[in-house]
Amino acid sequence: MHRLLERQIRRFLGEPATLPPELAAFIAAVDEAYNSADADRLLIERSLDLMSKELTDTNAGLRNELAERQRADMALQKKQEEQRLLIGKLEAAHNQLLQSEKMASIGQLAAGVAHEINNPIGYVYSNLGTLEKYVQDTFGMIDLYEQAEGAIADPEVRSRLQEAKKKLDIAFLKTDLRALMDESKDGITRVKTIVQNLKDFSHADTSDEWNFADLRSGLDSTLSIVNNEIKYKADVVKQYGEIPEIECLASQLNQVFMNLLVNAAHAIKERGTITIRTGREGDEVWVDIADTGDGIAPEHMQKIFDPFFTTKPIGKGTGLGLSLSYGIVEKHHGRIEVQSEVGKGTTFRVWLPMKQS
Ligand SMILES: Nc1ncnc2c1ncn2[C@@H]1O[C@H](COP(=O)(O)OP(=O)(O)OP(=O)(O)O)[C@@H](O)[C@H]1O
Ligand SMILES: [Mg+2]
């Protein structure tokens, strides 16, 4: 810098051989000022460089730290999700256990009762048959005596006989005895069917075994068991379509039908109809349980299969019926569909594959 200034000054002074000492000193001072400014600038530039490099380094560090933290966060979230799923699974397993224990004890009770009743019912039934025959024989004998009446010589004996006949009203006795016998036989036959249904229902002999079964007979035996709960509320209409036997755990499916039928009856306030339909589509069969009850509120629709969800008063419902049914149908690789309209009624459709592959 000072050379430029010196040249200009020399040119200005007409190129003298030497510069006056004050001017030379001035040029040196200017030069020194410039040099020190340059050094300052360099220093500032260098420290700025250093600072910016430091900042870049810190930034990169921060970025790494952030990424690390995000990774840790994600791992934690994943772990939490896994735990949530595990808890859900545990809860489901626990509920399933509770319910199957309940069902198993009902089944055991049913099988026990059926077994106990079976014996006395057996001999009452067979005794009734014998009794009927004896009564017939006795009446035959009385007929013969009646025919022989005319041949009795003693008028006193004859009038006593006639009096006794009038008092007994033999004619009425004959017809009424027959009616009583028929009614008793009818009753006993019904009890026999109920016992058989109880046995079928609990499937004490073949519990938890995959077999081919006709769902319609399962529906019938289940219906006879829950009939008591239903009959005061609803007329049951059966519209069974042709279905093949399907591979299933029959006693468990009966539990599904039982729960759907009881739910249907509970949904009916005054009096209504429960319609049971069966049908087949492709490789699947379906069972409909339709009621003309209250229907399901839309906001409840998502929850009805949740364990412990119930809208029934305490003591009336545990809220496990549908969740158990769902589990059983799932085990069969089937599905349950629901259609409901508040105030009109509800239809549950159970789809089941014909074969378990
Ligand atoms: N056919 C139906 N009509 C109207 N609501 C129904 C019907 N079926 C089920 N629900 C509703 O779904 C709820 C859950 O049914 P779920 O069978 O699981 O339990 P619950 O019947 O209340 O009790 P539980 O069956 O254990 O005795 C019922 O409380 C009811 O609100
Ligand atoms: Mg229920």
Side-chain angles (χ1 to χ4, degrees), residues 139-149:
F139 276 129
M141 195 67 208
I142 291 174
D143 282 349
L144 281 177
Y145 274 124
E146 269 181 337
Q147 281 164 25
E149 229 177 78

Side-chain angles (χ1 to χ4, degrees), residues 104-125:
S105 51
I106 291 176
Q108 256 170 13
L109 195 75
V113 170
H115 181 78
E116 288 301 316
I117 295 179
N118 214 20
N119 231 6
I121 288 299
Y123 60 71
V124 170
Y125 186 79

Side-chain angles (χ1 to χ4, degrees), residues 243-317:
I243 47 169
E245 293 194 336
I246 70 159
E247 194 178 0
C248 62
L249 298 164
S251 65
Q252 297 205 1
L253 286 184
N254 286 350
Q255 290 170 23
V256 175
F257 300 145
M258 178 165 87
N259 187 55
L260 295 181
L261 286 166
V262 172
N263 279 352
H266 282 170
I268 294 169
K269 282 277 128 45
E270 294 292 323
R271 191 157 187 92
T273 309
I274 296 175
T275 311
I276 311 174
R277 302 185 195 93
T278 61
R280 173 189 176 172
E281 231 176 271
D283 290 343
E284 290 178 306
V285 301
W286 51 261
V287 176
D288 271 0
I289 311 273
D291 64 64
T292 56
D294 293 341
I296 302 168
E299 67 268 26
H300 289 161
M301 228 17 167
Q302 297 298 318
K303 300 191 201 144
I304 55 171
F305 292 103
D306 290 354
F308 302 115
F309 175 79
T310 181
T311 54
K312 294 170 190 173
I314 298 169
K316 183 109 196 241

Side-chain angles (χ1 to χ4, degrees), residues 314-326:
I314 298 169
K316 183 109 196 241
T318 60
L320 283 172
L322 280 181
S323 84
L324 165 90
S325 304
Y326 190 87

Side-chain angles (χ1 to χ4, degrees), residues 80-272:
Q80 272 172 347
E81 180 65 14
E82 274 169 14
Q83 270 170 357
R84 217 176 48 75
L85 279 178
L86 200 69
I87 290 171
K89 268 191 200 157
L90 274 174
E91 255 172 14
H94 178 238
N95 293 335
Q96 192 85 26
L97 206 70
L98 268 183
Q99 190 69 16
S100 60
E101 246 170 38
K102 184 171 116 184
M103 292 319 294
S105 51
I106 291 176
Q108 256 170 13
L109 195 75
V113 170
H115 181 78
E116 288 301 316
I117 295 179
N118 214 20
N119 231 6
I121 288 299
Y123 60 71
V124 170
Y125 186 79
S126 102
N127 286 358
L128 266 179
T130 318
L131 215 63
E132 195 177 26
K133 194 178 169 303
Y134 287 174
V135 166
Q136 259 164 15
D137 290 352
T138 312
F139 276 129
M141 195 67 208
I142 291 174
D143 282 349
L144 281 177
Y145 274 124
E146 269 181 337
Q147 281 164 25
E149 229 177 78
I152 296 171
D154 191 337
E156 201 190 323
V157 175
R158 245 196 352 243
S159 82
R160 259 200 318 209
L161 256 174
Q162 264 154 13
E163 210 171 304
K165 257 170 68 181
K166 221 157 113 193
K167 217 166 138 193
L168 278 177
D169 198 352
I170 287 286
F172 170 76
L173 217 110
K174 267 184 181 170
T175 47
D176 201 37
L177 241 169
R178 193 146 296 138
L180 285 179
M181 287 304 288
D182 285 349
E183 212 177 300
S184 304
K185 262 169 57 186
D186 213 46
I188 287 294
T189 312
R190 254 162 53 197
V191 175
K192 268 184 90 171
T193 318
I194 292 170
V195 168
Q196 188 55 47
N197 284 334
L198 271 175
K199 279 173 138 181
D200 286 352
F201 175 76
S202 61
H203 264 251
D205 34 352
T206 58
S207 74
D208 261 28
E209 255 182 53
W210 290 91
N211 275 314
F212 279 87
D214 190 333
L215 296 184
R216 290 172 293 188
S217 57
L219 281 165
D220 283 342
S221 65
T222 307
L223 199 56
S224 73
I225 297 205
V226 291
N227 198 31
N228 222 21
E229 211 152 333
I230 292 179
K231 67 181 174 204
Y232 303 108
K233 289 286 207 65
D235 302 310
V236 176
V237 177
K238 292 185 202 170
Q239 294 174 348
Y240 290 168
E242 207 40 57
I243 47 169
E245 293 194 336
I246 70 159
E247 194 178 0
C248 62
L249 298 164
S251 65
Q252 297 205 1
L253 286 184
N254 286 350
Q255 290 170 23
V256 175
F257 300 145
M258 178 165 87
N259 187 55
L260 295 181
L261 286 166
V262 172
N263 279 352
H266 282 170
I268 294 169
K269 282 277 128 45
E270 294 292 323
R271 191 157 187 92

